[in-house]
Amino acid sequence: MLIDRAEVVVTSPDRNFVTLKLTTDDGLSGLGDATLNGREMAVVAYLRDHVVPMLIGRDAHRIEDTWQLLYRGAYWRRGPVTMAAIAAVDTALWDIKARAAGMPLYQLLGGACRDGLLAYGHASGQDLPELFDSIRERRALGFRAIRVQSGVPGLPPVYGTASAARDVEVWDSRSYLRHLPSVFEAVRSEFGPQLPLLHDVHHRLTPIQAARLGKALEPYDLFWLEDCTPAENQEALRLVRQHTTTPLAIGEVFNTVWDYQQIVREQLIDYVRSAVTHTGGITHLRRILDFAAQYQIRSGMHGPQDVSPVGMAAALHLGLALHNFGIQEYNPHGARTDEVFRQSFTFTDGLLHPGSEPGLGVSLDVDEAGKYPYARAYLPVNRLTDGTLHDW
Ligand code: EZ4
Ligand code: CO
């Protein structure tokens, strides 16, 4: 079964998505997500100009060898563009192999380890009444775990709050640190002790500030505190760990197992945030999570709207087959996106399931995709109140 055609499809139904579609000489096709939010066309060029020519005529069954060829064979290793491109090829080949086998992909990864995947949804508000409404809304949709993000008094809307969609946000860590514990205190007293609550700091604190926040939030029993410090400084987490038992999640901007080497071995985190899309595909994320399993670290795969339905399906198949699955982030896509990508996953009583169709269970309507050309877009940036550029 040889790879006969490779198309890179860019579509922007609700936002930009990059999808690789591989087709074999016996007519099977597979999809892979290569969406890198804000830098999409770099991955398109990497795939079209450098990867696709290497794929044509290769045996579609040789997933591991193809991964090694694209990784080692490039000489230049790691990095978000390379690893998103490799992820798309890897995912599309797994999709093809599972379609060839006539099985949903999770069967080839070892079969289901559970009935469904615990998902968390996003709630946010500028103030407590708005936040409580948002939590109730998520719960009404079935979510059994909730990420809580709040506005900060004195600042315009910040990351994670619904009305924050602006090019430049404004940040002040002192105001945030003072306010956030009171938000969790209020949420706990309104919704009780049982509901799993999560929070994303989005890389904004110094190590000692993060340590203080983790400690301050301990009474509210968070499921996790995410990206409390910028991801590059892995030793920072040692300091945070010395001060708090609040569980830590990190890794949505990591690309490889080597980014996790130190923090897993030193048991500095509790959850791996990587998505299949940004971490070299199913093959490589499985490798990271098998390594993490030795230290009782579990998965908490990134599931923002900028991971396409193809990337989400890959996460669900892998999550179902992993013993050390933890939780899955789930942000439902818009109606137009769901028209372009037909999906067979289900979300029932707060649990996701990838469904029983062969392969990933996602099909791409190329005509529908063609209606929505690429629209250049950037992530926001974040500035301190004096104008200094800060981590977003
Ligand atoms: O900012 O996916 O946990 N989720 C996040 C996301 C990221 C976006 C960046 O493209 O932090 O909202
Ligand atoms: Co995050």
Side-chain angles (χ1 to χ4, degrees):
M1 189 170 63
L2 304 180
I3 301 171
D4 194 43
R5 280 203 323 273
E7 299 151 78
V8 183
V9 178
V10 183
T11 182
S12 192
D14 296 295
R15 59 173 318 113
N16 292 314
F17 294 114
V18 177
T19 311
L20 177 69
K21 180 177 181 182
L22 298 181
T23 307
T24 66
D25 55 357
D26 44 14
L28 282 178
S29 62
L31 301 174
D33 179 25
T35 307
L36 188 62
N37 196 7
R39 295 293 185 271
E40 296 87 356
M41 300 310 277
V43 191
V44 171
Y46 193 104
L47 282 168
R48 274 190 189 146
D49 295 345
H50 303 292
V51 172
V52 164
M54 296 173 73
L55 295 178
I56 305 304
R58 284 185 59 81
D59 182 352
H61 276 304
R62 295 183 65 175
I63 298 177
E64 178 69 29
D65 186 63
T66 301
W67 196 97
Q68 299 296 342
L69 176 71
L70 295 177
Y71 185 81
R72 285 174 211 279
Y75 185 66
W76 308 107
R77 298 174 184 208
R78 307 163 63 168
V81 175
T82 298
M83 298 312 288
I86 295 177
V89 175
D90 184 79
T91 305
L93 291 178
W94 276 110
D95 191 13
I96 288 171
K97 194 185 280 291
R99 285 175 198 251
M103 291 180 186
L105 173 55
Y106 68 82
Q107 295 293 12
L108 273 60
L109 301 175
C113 273
R114 57 195 52 78
D115 302 330
L117 304 173
L118 178 67
Y120 74 90
H122 289 191
S124 70
Q126 293 310 317
D127 54 24
L128 289 175
E130 202 179 301
L131 175 61
F132 287 3
D133 284 350
S134 175
I135 294 173
R136 289 196 187 96
E137 204 180 288
R138 291 290 118 179
R139 300 239 295 166
L141 290 172
F143 283 101
R144 296 187 197 171
I146 311 277
R147 187 185 87 158
V148 170
Q149 304 295 131
S150 165
V152 177
L155 294 182
V158 296
Y159 167 80
T161 61
S163 41
R166 52 183 70 207
D167 298 341
V168 183
E169 294 176 13
V170 181
W171 184 251
D172 178 53
S173 292
R174 279 174 59 80
S175 305
Y176 165 78
L177 285 168
R178 207 163 46 237
H179 182 61
L180 195 69
S182 71
V183 171
F184 276 91
E185 184 182 25
V187 170
R188 271 290 172 233
S189 66
E190 181 73 14
F191 295 94
Q194 192 57 33
L195 180 65
L197 298 175
L198 304 86
H199 179 72
D200 192 348
V201 183
H202 226 252
H203 328 275
R204 284 154 192 223
L205 298 177
T206 66
I208 202 68
Q209 288 171 335
R212 182 179 140 203
L213 181 63
K215 209 162 148 177
L217 293 177
E218 272 174 30
Y220 315 116
D221 187 26
L222 263 62
F223 188 95
W224 80 35
L225 189 63
E226 174 180 344
D227 288 331
C228 61
T229 50
E232 299 94 323
N233 181 5
Q234 308 208 339
E235 285 165 47
L237 297 173
R238 281 191 197 144
L239 193 145
V240 180
R241 273 295 211 220
Q242 280 164 22
H243 291 281
T244 181
T245 57
T246 293
L248 302 178
I250 208 161
E252 68 184 45
V253 303
F254 290 176
N255 324 118
T256 69
V257 70
W258 296 284
D259 297 324
Y260 283 99
Q261 222 167 22
Q262 180 183 6
I263 57 175
V264 167
R265 219 182 318 121
E266 293 188 28
Q267 305 184 80
L268 300 181
I269 59 167
D270 302 281
Y271 295 92
V272 164
R273 283 289 286 149
S274 285
V276 169
T277 306
H278 302 130
T279 324
I282 289 165
T283 296
H284 196 66
L285 185 51
R286 172 108 213 206
R287 205 149 279 162
I288 294 170
L289 287 164
D290 286 345
F291 170 47
Q294 297 174 52
Y295 300 88
Q296 291 170 277
I297 296 169
R298 295 189 287 158
S299 72
M301 288 179 222
H302 196 200
Q305 282 180 333
D306 48 279
V307 163
S308 87
V310 175
M312 278 306 293
L316 302 187
H317 285 276
L318 179 57
L320 199 68
L322 281 174
H323 178 253
N324 58 327
F325 170 81
I327 199 166
Q328 174 64 52
E329 185 179 30
Y330 175 41
N331 278 287
H333 288 108
R336 281 196 296 267
T337 298
D338 291 345
E339 283 285 302
V340 171
F341 298 93
R342 299 275 163 70
Q343 306 155 57
S344 59
F345 79 92
T346 55
F347 179 58
T348 314
D349 295 331
L351 300 184
L352 287 159
H353 192 285
S356 55
E357 279 186 22
L360 287 170
V362 183
S363 63
L364 173 68
D365 185 331
V366 178
D367 294 334
E368 195 65 21
K371 291 185 191 166
Y372 307 107
Y374 170 71
R376 193 192 324 278
Y378 294 96
L379 283 163
V381 297
N382 199 24
R383 290 190 183 273
L384 303 181
T385 50
D386 71 355
T388 306
L389 197 87
H390 194 61
D391 301 81
W392 176 71

